Amino acid sequence: MTRYVLIGAGAIGAPVAAQLHESATDVVLVARGAHARAIREHGLTYARPDGDRQVRVPVVESAAELELRTDDVLVVATKTQATEAVLQEWAWRPVTGASTAAETLPLISLQNGLENERAALRRFARVSGASVWMPSSYLRPGEVVAPGEPQVGTFWLGRYPGGLDPDTERWADDLRRANFVVRLVDDLPRWKAGKLLANLANAADALFPDDDRAGELNQALRAEARQVLAAAGLDPADPRDDPEVDLRAFGLAPALLDRYGGSSTRQSLSRASGDTEADFLNGEIVLLGRLHGVPTPLNSRIQAAVASVARDGVPPGGVGTALLDDLLCDAAQQGAPTG
């Protein structure tokens, strides 16, 4: 029987583990510190549109606590900045009856950005990933909020760099039974690039959560990014135009809106974690721009701004509006669309 090892118990990993556990699928959740202790002692407080419940999902704090089996699937759901540490911890762990995790077990990345699958492939022989569309938040130890309805979220799932793993259909069936929509794709990088374009808005959501003009900035950030992705030979797929998945059918439960923490970057600032994914979202556009000779002044500047507030422990919205005024002015001078 397949056992899913969910590495990362935040806004993505914890709901996936909870849903799999409630659908009678074998799963172990890997959490840290106070979050792990709260789940061990009281179960995961899991807020869904039909109410809160305590999910007694098995939890460990490290690879050393778990004896890996040949039927395990490693599912990485940490922030991208933690990926290298995760790979170092798990890749060369022994697997009972086989060699090591990297040589034996499949790895699935449920992470934002373009870097994770490539990094995993340096060690793991079988790497898959998903473009994830799932509103959820983790702000307090032991609790996650997943307000999406009617399903929890959607995965565009495929092997990296292309095709489908022989076990992809089985993984998809398990996720569907756990109340996720799963679309199998054989061109995963296109879907990850499309999600990256959407994730560029995370920075503005964290810095300017209550300013309607942030939408204008996001439009300019994406226009800059599309030029970069084109130069890099990437053709982003837009999940909103997918004929097989109607995202208009998904919504956020009104009763949970006041508990939903916004984008992953805003949640990182709310928890004062000290870092965010911005270096692998806006920063990915900056990197590709430098590699392919395309200027990225807007994404570069907002990347630096997020890094600064994260380092200094500034809460969401704590930078004031002067920075947004400057960024919109820069976008207008560059001729980027902002409205």
Side-chain angles (χ1 to χ4, degrees):
M1 178 180 178
T2 300
R3 180 176 69 173
Y4 294 91
V5 181
L6 263 294
I7 304 169
I12 301 299
V16 172
Q19 293 291 140
L20 288 171
H21 180 74
E22 291 188 332
S23 67
T25 301
D26 197 3
V27 63
V28 175
L29 182 61
V30 182
R32 300 284 190 185
H35 194 39
R37 292 192 295 273
I39 297 170
R40 270 201 176 117
E41 293 174 10
H42 310 292
L44 175 70
T45 301
Y46 186 40
R48 287 287 294 141
D50 59 353
D52 289 13
R53 51 189 180 268
Q54 303 301 121
V55 181
R56 293 283 179 175
V57 59
V59 62
V60 299
E61 291 197 54
S62 70
E65 295 182 33
L66 193 65
E67 184 175 317
L68 292 175
R69 315 180 316 212
T70 55
D71 59 355
D72 283 338
V73 178
L74 303 183
V75 184
V76 183
T78 63
K79 295 289 197 305
T80 303
Q81 63 266 31
T83 294
E84 182 59 25
V86 167
L87 296 174
Q88 288 184 19
E89 179 180 2
W90 290 86
W92 308 117
R93 296 294 302 177
V95 177
T96 301
S99 54
T100 65
E103 298 165 291
T104 305
L105 303 182
L107 179 145
I108 304 172
S109 165
L110 303 183
Q111 300 165 280
N112 291 327
L114 305 181
E115 180 61 26
N116 298 290
E117 291 83 4
R118 180 180 181 276
L121 201 62
R122 183 171 284 113
R123 295 178 176 90
F124 283 82
R126 293 172 62 189
V127 176
S128 293
S131 176
V132 180
W133 203 274
M134 188 166 79
S136 53
S137 57
Y138 159 53
L139 298 176
R140 288 170 288 278
E143 177 182 308
V144 293
V145 179
E149 55 182 1
Q151 283 82 24
V152 182
T154 300
F155 300 112
W156 286 264
L157 176 65
R159 189 165 188 167
Y160 184 83
L164 297 174
D165 188 278
D167 291 328
T168 306
E169 289 277 7
R170 178 163 51 83
W171 304 334
D173 287 343
D174 288 341
L175 288 167
R176 288 169 182 142
R177 281 195 301 272
N179 197 30
F180 295 99
V181 174
V182 182
R183 160 96 138 87
L184 302 186
V185 297
D186 59 9
D187 52 352
L188 179 66
R190 291 188 63 237
W191 295 91
K192 297 299 293 269
K195 179 64 186 305
L196 174 60
L197 283 175
N199 284 140
L200 297 180
N202 289 11
D205 177 62
L207 296 174
F208 321 112
D210 300 316
D211 198 315
D212 292 338
R213 296 176 302 156
E216 300 177 20
L217 175 60
N218 291 333
Q219 189 174 355
L221 290 168
R222 290 178 184 131
E224 187 176 85
R226 287 189 182 96
Q227 294 179 347
V228 170
L229 294 175
L234 287 168
D235 176 26
D238 189 342
R240 295 167 299 183
D241 293 335
D242 185 355
E244 297 188 30
V245 177
D246 185 6
L247 288 177
R248 294 172 299 179
F250 291 85
L252 301 182
L256 291 177
L257 289 180
D258 62 339
R259 298 169 63 185
Y260 174 52
S263 71
S264 62
T265 304
R266 194 204 302 186
Q267 292 176 46
S268 293
L269 294 188
S270 295
R271 294 198 310 273
S273 64
D275 58 19
T276 77
E277 282 185 301
D279 286 342
F280 297 94
L281 300 177
N282 306 90
E284 181 69 29
I285 299 303
V286 174
L287 169 62
L288 291 175
R290 289 169 178 164
L291 288 173
H292 297 280
V294 180
T296 58
L298 291 176
N299 279 280
S300 179
R301 189 170 179 191
I302 203 165
Q303 174 194 6
V306 173
S308 176
V309 299
R311 179 196 63 216
D312 295 340
V314 178
V319 297
T321 61
L323 176 60
L324 179 56
D325 293 337
D326 287 348
L327 287 166
L328 289 173
C329 181
D330 288 349
Q333 291 176 354
Q334 294 163 27
T338 59

